[in-house]
Amino acid sequence: MWLSYAGESHSEGVRYGLLALETADPTYAVSVVESGTPEVYTDANLRASRATWGDVSHSTGWIYDYGEEDWFVSPLALTRTKASLDYCNTTGPKLAAFGFGWCWDGNYYAVDSINKYISATQEYIDHAESNDMLTRVFFTTGPVDSYTLGLGYLKYLAYEQIRDSVLADPNRILFDYADILCYDDGSSTPNTRTYDGHIYPWITTTNLGDAGLGHIGPAGRLRLAKAMWWMLARMAGWDGSAVDSTATDILTFTLAEQTGSATVNTTNHTVSIQVTWDADITSLMPTITMDYGATISPMSGVAQDFTSPVVFTVTALDGTTTQEWVVTVTQEAASPVLVRDGERIVTYNGVPIKI
C-alpha cells in the first residue's frame, strides 16, 4: 500500500515511527519518500510519504507540505485535493490510504471550522468511491502537545466533534492521532490535565519524550506507527483478531488440472487431490495458501513431479516452527482406448476425443 499522510511537521512523527518500527521488527518493512516522485508499486514493503499532486498554490507537481488551507479551508482546496486524487488514480502511483496530518495551527477549533474539515473529508471519500478508486480516505485528529491549557481544551472539543462524526457513520475510518499519544504502553488510563474545571486528555511525558522528530519522542512515534499498521491492515481486510505466529496450516491447494477441490487434512497434515486423466503428473504447478505470514518449501507456483507423494514444509510466521505436509495427487481413470477407422479414440465425459 501507498500511504500519504499529508501534513506539516507533526505528520513526520508517523513516518519516522514507521521507520523505527521496521528497525525493531523487519516484518513491518517500509520505505519513506520525502521528496520527488513517490515510489511505484512494490510487494516488498509499505510505502509512506506525505505527497500530494499539487496544493492551493500549485496546480501540478508533487508537493510535500500540506496545511489546513490545502485540505478544507476554501473551495479551491477541495478542487485541488480532488485533482490530486484523480492524478494518483489515473497517472499513479496508485494511492491506497490518504489522510490529513494536522499541525499546531490554533485557529481551527471552532465548530464551523471542524464542520468544514468533516465535510471536505467526506467529499474526498465520496469522490474516490464515485470514481471507483482504490483510495481509502480517513479522518484524523491532531496534536496534543505545546498548547496552552485553554487552547488545549478547545482542541480537545474539536477532536471530540470529529470522533462523534465518525461514530455516527460506520463507513468512516478514524486515525485518532491525539488519543494514541495520551496513553502509555500497557495503560488503559489516559494522561489528563485540567482547565477551568474541565479535565481532558493530554500527551504523556513518555510519548512526548525529547519531541525530537515530528514534535514527538521515540515512544510516541512507535505508538503512532503501530496504530497506523493496524489501521492499514484493517483497510486491507484483516478482521482484527490476533494472529498465531506459530500456525503452519495449508489453507488451500489448487492445480489447474484438478477435477475437484483438494482434501486438506489439518490433523494428519495431508493433502489429496485428483487431476484429469491426461494431465502431465510429472510437472504440475500448485497454487498454495498458508496461515498468515507462513512460507512453504517447495514454493507455491513452482512445478513439481507428483508421480509419488511430495513433502511440503510450512514454516510459521515466527520463522522457527515448521510442519511437514504430504501431498498426494491421483489421476482420474480414462475411458478405454478404441480404434475406429484407424484413429485412436477415447470417450471423456461422454464425448469422443481423438488422441
Side-chain angles (χ1 to χ4, degrees):
M1 299 173 74
W2 171 31
L3 159 72
S4 178
Y5 197 78
E8 299 173 37
S9 53
H10 276 82
S11 68
E12 206 174 46
V14 174
R15 300 191 304 280
Y16 281 95
L18 291 169
L19 290 171
L21 181 58
E22 179 188 33
T23 299
D25 186 345
T27 301
Y28 300 97
V30 66
S31 65
V32 174
V33 174
E34 298 286 4
S35 63
T37 303
E39 184 181 3
V40 298
Y41 174 81
T42 174
D43 61 4
N45 52 256
L46 171 68
R47 295 164 290 152
S49 71
R50 54 174 171 164
T52 60
W53 181 258
D55 60 7
V56 292
S57 301
H58 308 84
S59 60
T60 62
W62 291 111
I63 302 297
Y64 284 79
D65 188 9
Y66 222 59
E68 287 81 356
E69 71 280 2
D70 299 300
W71 190 272
F72 67 88
V73 170
S74 66
L76 179 59
L78 273 69
T79 298
R80 290 283 169 83
T81 301
K82 289 176 183 177
S84 177
L85 290 170
D86 291 339
Y87 184 87
C88 293
N89 186 56
T90 57
T91 305
K94 296 283 188 180
L95 181 58
F98 186 44
F100 175 58
W102 295 84
C103 201
W104 272 321
D105 302 82
N107 299 324
Y108 305 108
Y109 56 80
V111 170
D112 60 340
S113 290
I114 300 304
N115 279 337
K116 285 183 179 179
Y117 163 76
I118 294 169
S119 176
T121 304
Q122 187 60 49
E123 278 200 42
Y124 303 145
I125 293 171
D126 295 341
H127 183 75
E129 290 180 349
S130 63
N131 288 279
D132 296 322
M133 297 180 188
L134 298 177
T135 307
R136 302 292 296 277
V137 182
F138 56 91
F139 289 81
T140 58
T141 55
V144 278
D145 63 283
S146 297
Y147 290 129
T148 61
L149 286 171
L151 184 54
Y153 176 64
L154 292 175
K155 284 289 187 178
Y156 162 70
L157 294 179
Y159 301 155
E160 285 288 89
Q161 187 178 339
I162 295 169
R163 292 172 184 130
D164 289 343
S165 76
V166 173
L167 286 171
D169 185 342
N171 294 314
R172 289 179 175 178
I173 300 170
L174 172 65
F175 185 75
D176 203 340
Y177 178 103
D179 187 66
I180 294 162
L181 295 174
C182 293
Y183 293 82
D184 283 330
D185 290 352
S187 173
S188 58
T189 303
N191 183 51
T192 59
R193 63 179 188 171
T194 304
Y195 168 72
D196 195 25
H198 302 287
I199 300 173
Y200 64 94
W202 193 246
I203 190 170
T204 71
T205 301
T206 302
N207 289 330
L208 180 61
D210 59 6
L213 289 170
H215 313 292
I216 310 298
R221 295 194 296 270
L222 201 58
R223 284 183 62 83
L224 290 171
K226 291 178 178 180
M228 181 58 73
W229 268 97
W230 176 283
M231 184 183 75
L232 296 178
R234 295 303 300 270
M235 287 182 180
W238 177 46
D239 65 3
S241 59
V243 172
D244 181 0
S245 65
T246 64
T248 54
D249 277 348
I250 288 178
L251 304 180
T252 64
F253 190 101
T254 59
L255 294 165
E257 301 86 352
Q258 70 190 53
T259 60
S261 299
T263 300
V264 180
N265 188 319
T266 56
T267 301
N268 297 328
H269 304 106
T270 60
V271 177
S272 300
I273 188 169
Q274 185 186 70
V275 296
T276 59
W277 64 271
D278 58 345
D280 180 5
I281 202 170
T282 67
S283 183
L284 297 176
M285 184 182 297
T287 299
I288 314 167
T289 63
M290 296 77 65
D291 281 312
Y292 175 80
T295 57
I296 194 165
S297 178
M299 292 191 299
S300 174
V302 177
Q304 303 295 327
D305 182 352
F306 287 97
T307 304
S308 300
V310 177
V311 176
F312 287 80
T313 301
V314 176
T315 301
L317 176 62
D318 65 6
T320 57
T321 307
T322 61
Q323 177 64 56
E324 290 188 345
W325 287 74
V326 178
V327 177
T328 302
V329 177
T330 58
Q331 286 184 282
E332 67 176 351
S335 300
V337 176
L338 306 176
V339 177
R340 181 186 303 165
D341 297 330
E343 295 179 332
R344 299 174 73 234
I345 306 290
V346 297
T347 301
Y348 180 64
N349 289 338
V351 179
I353 301 172
K354 287 193 244 181
I355 61 172

